[in-house]
Amino acid sequence: LSILLSLLVPAHPTRSPDCGGILTPSGLSYRKSGPSLTQPGTARQSVRLCPTPSLCSGRNQVTAVTVAALTLSLVPDAGLRLSIDVDLGVTSAPSTTKAMRISILADFHMEMNPEGNLELVTSACKPTVEEMQSTEETERPSCPSTSSLFSIPQICLEVSKLLLSPNERLISLTAPFPVTPSCQVQYMPLAAPMFSEQGITISLQTTFQVAGIAIPLPISPAPFSMPEPVSSSPSHLTLAFSEHFYTSLFFALEIAGAFNMTIPVSRAKITPLPRQMGSLFPEEQPVVLQAVFRSSPRVVLEEGKAALKLFLTVHIGTGAPAFQSFLSMNMDMSAGLVLSVASTRMMISAAVTEDVELSLAASDVGPVPADLLEELFLLPIREAVPAQVNAVLSEGVFLPHISGFTYTDVNIVIHKDYVLVPCNLELQAEAG
């Protein structure tokens, strides 16, 4: 199978994007309300800023944590900047409680690691510690002064730990997602994202696996580049998919055999065929249609609409004991595609239009007029082909996403050669 697949198209197509996304400043600032961090128990468990606990003899405790201010902003052509002010309540002796403010300014950039995953990396960190107020001290504690408890290296280490969870989520972006039981889709970044005032732009290349083997996809006739971001967009994120992305999807499903179909037809309905059929099959036998692709399907995107072009060869024959064809015809049809999004999946459904062409390919029963072929076989094929497409795609196709987030307030805009999907992000609540 791998040898056969390798012969279908060139084995080393040029790496180029076929989809991607733009995370806007609105999406970057999106956050979902969570539990308060001012509870003493939570604070003691989650914040450990004393660099050398042995010096403190267990007498210094962080008893309250309050995030006074937090902003995450874009630094064009560089990365992200985090500015955060955290107020701490620190008890260093039974009668001494100090209020401290830690202000942190940290810069992040994004890299691609050797595994092909994106990673946020700290490029600069500048913390400052300020004592806000204190209660009357009855005696000097044995520990150093409270401000000395917070070292710059230790604070910056804690800042770097903030990236562990986002980086774990980023790994999920490149996870393989099932399309059918034998076909998987995977989105791979081609380079680190671009940072601009309009947002964070990432370009992705889609790969497909059929039966566990990566298949070489058709080469895009024209390179795809992410559309210019709209600075006034209220959406958190805009996904973009090229025409070639959809053609590659249907190509992969064709290779997986997802569209091979057998259509039963009543023999009574084909009695107008020439009498030679009776001599070929004197006994009553079931008649079936087998449809296969003679050329790969193609998706065409125009302003406001999407169409799936199908190029089929339909074999008419008997199905018992083994299929034996006595008539073949070529059929070209166009199916309109309806696109929508549910959670993190794109739902795709097809409805055949009137654009259908039939022609005789081979016949063991003599010449058959095209109008007779259309009268006998057009309706069952027109009904069966979109039904098969819709059954294969009934679960939808996973969109590029990271774990924990779903898409809401989705709007799909079809342009010539590409589709835009402006949407908002919603962070899902995690158990525990």
Side-chain angles (χ1 to χ4, degrees), residues 103-381:
S103 298
I104 303 169
L105 194 66
D107 288 344
F108 308 129
H109 68 276
M110 197 168 287
E111 299 177 350
M112 279 188 65
N113 62 23
E115 290 76 30
N117 294 311
L118 298 176
E119 275 188 350
L120 274 170
V121 179
T122 307
S123 53
C125 176
K126 182 182 179 182
T128 57
V129 180
E130 177 186 1
E131 184 173 325
M132 306 290 288
Q133 63 183 18
S134 63
T135 59
E136 189 68 27
E137 296 183 20
T138 57
E139 61 176 336
R140 175 90 32 200
S142 60
C143 256
S145 64
T146 309
S147 60
S148 68
L149 297 177
F150 308 103
S151 70
I152 290 178
Q154 183 69 19
I155 292 175
C156 290
L157 177 61
E158 296 296 329
V159 170
S160 67
K161 290 179 181 178
L162 294 175
L163 303 181
L164 293 177
S165 177
N167 283 334
E168 288 176 356
R169 292 182 185 272
L170 282 172
I171 291 175
S172 64
L173 175 67
T174 58
F177 302 112
V179 182
T180 68
S182 63
C183 181
Q184 290 183 314
V185 62
Q186 191 171 17
Y187 302 99
M188 300 301 296
L190 295 177
M194 302 294 294
F195 292 82
S196 67
E197 293 181 355
Q198 287 74 34
I200 305 172
T201 302
I202 179 173
S203 296
L204 302 170
Q205 184 182 54
T206 309
T207 61
F208 289 93
Q209 291 185 353
V210 174
I213 300 172
I215 63 170
L217 298 173
I219 297 176
S220 175
F224 174 72
S225 58
M226 289 292 297
E228 288 293 323
V230 180
S231 57
S232 59
S233 173
S235 299
H236 294 164
L237 176 71
T238 297
L239 297 171
F241 301 91
S242 69
E243 186 177 85
H244 185 252
F245 165 84
Y246 293 97
T247 293
S248 297
L249 167 65
F250 282 94
F251 174 83
L253 292 173
E254 176 208 348
I255 296 300
F259 297 136
N260 293 341
M261 62 195 85
T262 298
I263 308 165
V265 178
S266 168
R267 179 163 179 167
K269 291 186 177 181
I270 61 172
T271 52
L273 282 176
R275 295 183 179 276
Q276 291 93 318
M277 181 179 170
S279 61
L280 289 174
F281 308 103
E283 298 181 2
E284 187 74 17
Q285 295 187 34
V287 176
V288 296
L289 309 182
Q290 285 193 349
V292 295
F293 284 92
R294 72 176 191 277
S295 182
S296 296
R298 184 167 59 93
V299 174
V300 178
L301 301 177
E302 301 290 346
E303 290 296 324
K305 62 181 181 180
L308 173 64
K309 304 291 186 180
L310 300 172
F311 312 98
L312 303 168
T313 295
V314 181
H315 302 284
I316 300 97
T318 60
F323 181 77
Q324 180 181 352
S325 173
F326 59 83
L327 183 67
S328 298
M329 59 183 177
N330 293 330
M331 171 177 281
D332 297 345
M333 66 169 59
S334 177
L337 293 179
V338 179
L339 308 178
S340 62
V341 172
S343 183
T344 57
R345 304 187 194 210
M346 176 167 284
M347 314 305 293
I348 304 174
S349 59
V352 173
T353 67
E354 297 299 327
D355 185 13
V356 179
E357 296 182 4
L358 282 174
S359 61
L360 186 64
S363 173
D364 292 336
V365 293
V368 181
D371 57 347
L372 183 55
L373 290 177
E374 183 173 327
E375 177 186 343
L376 298 177
F377 305 115
L378 182 60
L379 182 59
I381 295 174

Side-chain angles (χ1 to χ4, degrees), residues 362-411:
S363 173
D364 292 336
V365 293
V368 181
D371 57 347
L372 183 55
L373 290 177
E374 183 173 327
E375 177 186 343
L376 298 177
F377 305 115
L378 182 60
L379 182 59
I381 295 174
R382 280 174 55 89
E383 292 176 347
V385 171
Q388 179 75 6
V389 172
N390 293 338
V392 170
L393 296 173
S394 61
E395 297 296 320
V397 179
F398 277 102
L399 299 172
H401 68 280
I402 61 175
S403 63
F405 284 90
T406 60
Y407 298 135
T408 63
D409 308 314
V410 179
N411 183 28

